[in-house]
Amino acid sequence: MNSSGLKDLSDDILQLFLDGELEEQIYLEIKERLVDDDDARNRFEKLKEINDLVAGYNRSVLSEPVPDHLKHITRRRSWIGAQGIAASLLLVGLGILVGWALIGHGSHTQTDMLVQQALTAHSVYTPEVLHSVEVTGDRKEHLSKWLSKRLDTAVKIPDLSAFDYQLLGGRLLPGDDQTPHAMLMYEKPNGFRVSVYIVPSVGEKHTSTLFIHKNGLNAFYWVDSVLSCAVVFNDSASEDIDTLARLSESVYEQVEL
């Protein structure tokens, strides 16, 4: 064991090293170990390359004018773009849990619960054939009123038919904080499903829209003053991720209006 008690140079530790967020003793120890540890050094170089890529992309985005048709969105939040997704997916190749905003890093501390519960609910209920939802999509108005009453805020049901997704329905779920959460489920004719996880926001700090990948699942998620949402979908060769990014943006626009 080393003097600091640090056994493994995980990707998280290497990222902290790269960001200059470690104590001096640990920083110097890692710097020395990188000389002899080929695996850690290679992973560090990949992290550095990706950080430079994202930083360069962010600088280029900040210098670009906002298209007129997107100004109503960017006034409220920064939406991750296709290039931002590409940078995130490079990190996925390293097995890192990530979220990149269009113009910088978002805070994850207040979104951990939202993301974990959204991913878990998606994993549990999307494989279900007969019991994936409690209230079916043909009762959309009732579903909206029921979820709105239980979450104590207006829950609007997004229409995703423009992306060839039909509403299967929704259900109520308990959150870790004992507050009611909602889950909506959509399906394409090919059987591919997307879920929308909705949580009431109580005094939480806003985030930009973030992207995350974990264990074969992907999610776009955000925190707003009234509702926090995550749009979750499985890895799929048949579904274009940029289309799903636009679908998530549509969910945001419809839920938050």
Side-chain angles (χ1 to χ4, degrees):
M1 183 180 299
N2 299 280
S3 58
S4 67
L6 185 67
K7 295 181 180 180
D8 300 317
L9 293 182
S10 67
D11 289 330
D12 289 339
I13 293 295
L14 291 175
Q15 185 64 57
L16 292 173
F17 174 81
L18 182 60
D19 293 340
E21 297 182 7
L22 295 172
E23 295 179 0
E24 183 178 4
Q25 178 187 349
I26 299 177
Y27 178 88
L28 293 175
E29 178 185 322
I30 292 175
K31 186 176 181 180
E32 181 179 344
R33 289 174 62 180
L34 285 175
V35 174
D36 299 318
D37 191 330
D38 292 339
D39 175 69
R41 188 171 61 253
N42 289 336
R43 287 186 288 115
F44 172 75
E45 290 299 329
K46 289 180 181 179
L47 283 171
K48 187 175 184 303
E49 180 182 350
I50 292 165
N51 271 26
D52 292 343
L53 171 66
V54 174
Y57 170 67
N58 288 338
R59 286 193 296 271
S60 68
V61 168
L62 287 173
S63 66
E64 294 176 359
V66 178
D68 291 339
H69 71 285
L70 291 179
K71 286 181 179 178
H72 71 290
I73 299 171
T74 54
R75 279 197 296 266
R76 302 178 65 188
R77 70 169 54 253
S78 301
W79 194 268
I80 190 169
Q83 289 174 283
I85 297 169
S88 294
L89 291 179
L90 286 175
L91 286 173
V92 168
L94 295 176
I96 302 173
L97 189 64
V98 298
W100 293 105
L102 184 64
I103 53 172
H105 302 286
S107 170
H108 298 271
T109 57
Q110 299 184 18
T111 60
D112 289 344
M113 182 178 69
L114 165 68
V115 173
Q116 187 55 56
Q117 292 186 344
L119 296 177
T120 299
H122 184 89
S123 298
V124 170
Y125 291 108
T126 54
E128 289 285 341
V129 177
L130 299 178
H131 305 291
S132 56
V133 298
E134 290 180 276
V135 178
T136 55
D138 57 357
R139 303 178 65 196
K140 181 177 178 179
E141 184 176 351
H142 168 70
L143 177 62
S144 178
K145 290 180 178 178
W146 176 54
L147 294 178
S148 297
K149 181 178 180 179
R150 294 304 309 272
L151 271 64
D152 197 28
T153 188
V155 177
K156 299 171 184 176
I157 311 297
D159 181 356
L160 302 180
S161 57
F163 300 90
D164 205 20
Y165 282 89
Q166 300 301 317
L167 177 68
L168 289 181
R171 64 169 55 247
L172 196 68
L173 293 168
D176 285 348
D177 56 358
Q178 303 306 310
T179 61
H181 295 181
M183 179 184 183
L184 306 174
M185 194 176 300
Y186 296 82
E187 185 178 65
K188 289 191 75 171
N190 65 4
F192 188 80
R193 291 181 173 182
V194 166
S195 65
V196 179
Y197 197 85
I198 303 172
V199 178
S201 298
V202 182
E204 293 197 357
K205 182 180 178 181
H206 291 215
T207 69
S208 298
T209 300
L210 305 171
F211 174 76
I212 201 167
H213 178 280
K214 183 179 182 182
N215 298 331
L217 295 178
N218 308 276
F220 291 97
Y221 62 101
W222 59 89
V223 172
D224 261 347
S225 57
V226 179
L227 291 174
S228 302
C229 297
V231 179
V232 186
F233 51 95
N234 292 72
D235 286 340
S236 172
S238 66
E239 297 300 305
D240 178 74
I241 196 166
D242 189 48
T243 299
L244 290 165
R246 289 187 287 108
L247 178 149
S248 300
E249 183 177 353
S250 178
V251 170
Y252 169 75
E253 290 181 295
Q254 295 182 60
V255 168
E256 299 294 337
L257 287 178

